[in-house]
Amino acid sequence: MAPDALLIDLALQGGGSHGAFTWGVLDRLLEEETLRIAAISGTSAGAMNAAVLADGWTEAGAKGARRALANFWQLVSRAATFSPLRRSPFDRLMGRWSLDTSPAYIAMDLVSRLLSPYDLNPTGFNPLRNILVESIDFGRLAGSPIKLFVTATNVRTGRGRIFRNPEITADVLLASACLPTMFRAVEIDGEAYWDGGYAGNPTITPLVRESDAHDTVLVQINPRERADVPRSASDILNRLNEISFNSPLMKELRMIALLRQVADPGTGEGARWAQMRTHRIMTDALAKFGASSKLNGEWEFVAMLHAEGRRAASEFLKAHAADLGRRSTADIDVLLEC
């Protein structure tokens, strides 16, 4: 890494197996010796990518981070081979990656409307726990030079809680990814938590307040817009999912845009807000996959998303590498027009 590498922050959205797209983005960014990651804010799959990267970096720099991420997603995909949530023969025949016609997915969706995870999974089993424990040295993560901010939603208050490096455990990461219809709430310090996406997907504010970087790169998974109005039941639920998990982020970006305009650029925290530069990496490719595909962990799907992430990151660097450290490439001021 170049001694004068530019510090950047990363903001990583959650989205189940679609987080493999984020893996591809990170894999490509870690190849850039002119960039150094100062801090990462992540939710759900974004939080897991963040923790795995930071731990791998602490062990062996960029190469260690890339190796750790690849190992993590291979373990996730390997575990998925034993899951009943797999594409149906019809989905395979049609070349679709969704699980919309999977008997197991349909059954799970119907049953979840009648029974809670406390009825169906009384032991609270989550296959990701063993994968996280195997993939991350949480003691080493506590001292990582990369600052982490992981968001989970307090069930009782509805407010987001941000966990930092020394607080992050397997339970914290599972809480950040805890979908309430699939898993029991995760208890931490006597409080119950659900998926952080309900409160911040991801939370941007701590990056501005606590990081030395002035450039924040948002890796966005959930599509912001759809060309058509959904009409089928599955399409309507899918769009509701996208809107609900994008809403906290849009509100926070709008607040940040306002603060950037009114902050005093010459004093303390005001200078941090005024100097913040925003960037976004996303792809239209994810818009063609339904919400059910976020539960598809087949290696072919994961590898395809990883390749798309690398492609999107390469396109971003080709277009905006010279802008990093100089100006924003994602216009969040437009949100003030709403």
Side-chain angles (χ1 to χ4, degrees):
M1 176 179 297
D4 57 345
L6 176 70
L7 292 177
I8 63 170
D9 292 333
L10 299 175
L12 310 181
Q13 273 198 327
S17 62
H18 289 191
F21 168 80
T22 302
W23 165 34
V25 171
L26 299 176
D27 193 43
R28 177 65 185 86
L29 293 180
L30 286 165
E31 292 178 346
E32 293 296 307
E33 295 187 355
T34 57
L35 301 177
R36 184 167 77 80
I37 300 168
I40 311 176
S41 178
T43 297
S44 192
M48 295 182 188
N49 274 321
V52 171
L53 182 155
D55 181 50
W57 177 278
T58 306
E59 181 184 27
K63 289 183 178 179
R66 295 181 65 200
R67 183 169 58 246
L69 284 165
N71 180 64
F72 171 75
W73 282 99
Q74 287 167 4
L75 290 174
V76 169
S77 184
R78 195 175 305 158
T81 61
F82 301 101
S83 170
L85 296 175
R86 303 185 65 78
R87 287 185 297 162
S88 69
F90 181 71
D91 283 327
R92 293 177 182 275
L93 181 64
M94 298 298 294
R96 297 193 301 228
W97 293 104
S98 70
L99 306 178
D100 291 344
T101 63
S102 164
Y105 178 79
I106 294 172
M108 182 194 73
D109 185 50
L110 292 173
V111 171
S112 68
R113 300 171 194 272
L114 301 172
L115 299 173
S116 83
Y118 293 84
D119 301 315
L120 299 172
N121 186 9
T123 63
F125 173 74
N126 189 326
L128 280 174
R129 180 182 297 278
N130 290 336
I131 294 174
L132 291 170
V133 171
E134 183 176 346
S135 302
I136 302 170
D137 182 332
F138 290 98
R140 182 169 59 204
L141 182 65
S144 174
I146 298 177
K147 295 180 179 179
L148 296 184
F149 307 100
V150 172
T151 302
T153 303
N154 186 303
V155 178
R156 184 177 57 82
T157 66
R159 297 175 59 186
R161 174 178 170 182
I162 299 171
F163 296 85
R164 292 162 174 78
N165 294 57
E167 304 169 295
I168 296 173
T169 63
D171 278 342
V172 167
L173 296 177
L174 291 175
S176 184
C178 180
L179 292 174
T181 58
M182 293 186 64
F183 299 105
R184 297 170 48 161
V186 179
E187 289 197 9
I188 301 171
D189 299 331
E191 292 282 1
Y193 291 92
W194 280 340
D195 194 299
Y198 298 113
N201 193 20
T203 306
I204 308 293
T205 303
L207 294 176
V208 183
R209 288 179 168 172
E210 301 180 38
S211 173
D212 293 329
H214 296 300
D215 289 76
T216 297
V217 180
L218 168 65
V219 183
Q220 194 162 357
I221 289 178
N222 295 297
R224 293 174 300 166
E225 300 180 0
R226 290 279 183 178
D228 302 316
V229 176
R231 297 187 182 277
S232 70
S234 61
D235 287 344
I236 290 171
L237 290 173
N238 178 49
R239 188 57 185 150
L240 283 172
N241 177 281
E242 292 170 350
I243 292 173
S244 63
F245 279 103
N246 269 335
S247 180
L249 173 64
M250 293 299 103
K251 289 179 180 178
E252 188 176 18
L253 288 176
R254 187 174 186 273
M255 178 201 72
I256 290 172
L258 180 61
L259 285 173
R260 285 201 316 189
Q261 289 191 0
V262 303
D264 183 347
T267 59
E269 188 168 311
R272 289 182 176 273
W273 292 105
Q275 295 170 11
M276 179 188 178
R277 294 179 287 267
T278 54
H279 314 274
R280 179 185 284 116
I281 298 177
M282 58 188 303
T283 177
D284 292 334
L286 291 177
K288 63 185 179 182
F289 305 125
S292 65
S293 67
K294 294 179 180 180
L295 299 176
N296 184 353
E298 294 177 56
W299 179 250
E300 292 82 0
F301 185 49
V302 168
M304 180 184 68
L305 293 176
H306 170 261
E308 178 62 19
R310 284 189 57 87
R311 186 205 64 78
S314 293
E315 286 295 315
F316 170 80
L317 291 169
K318 181 179 179 181
H320 299 301
D323 295 316
L324 292 170
R326 297 176 56 203
R327 67 181 187 89
S328 293
T329 59
D331 182 14
I332 63 174
D333 290 337
V334 70
L335 297 174
L336 295 175
E337 300 172 5
C338 298

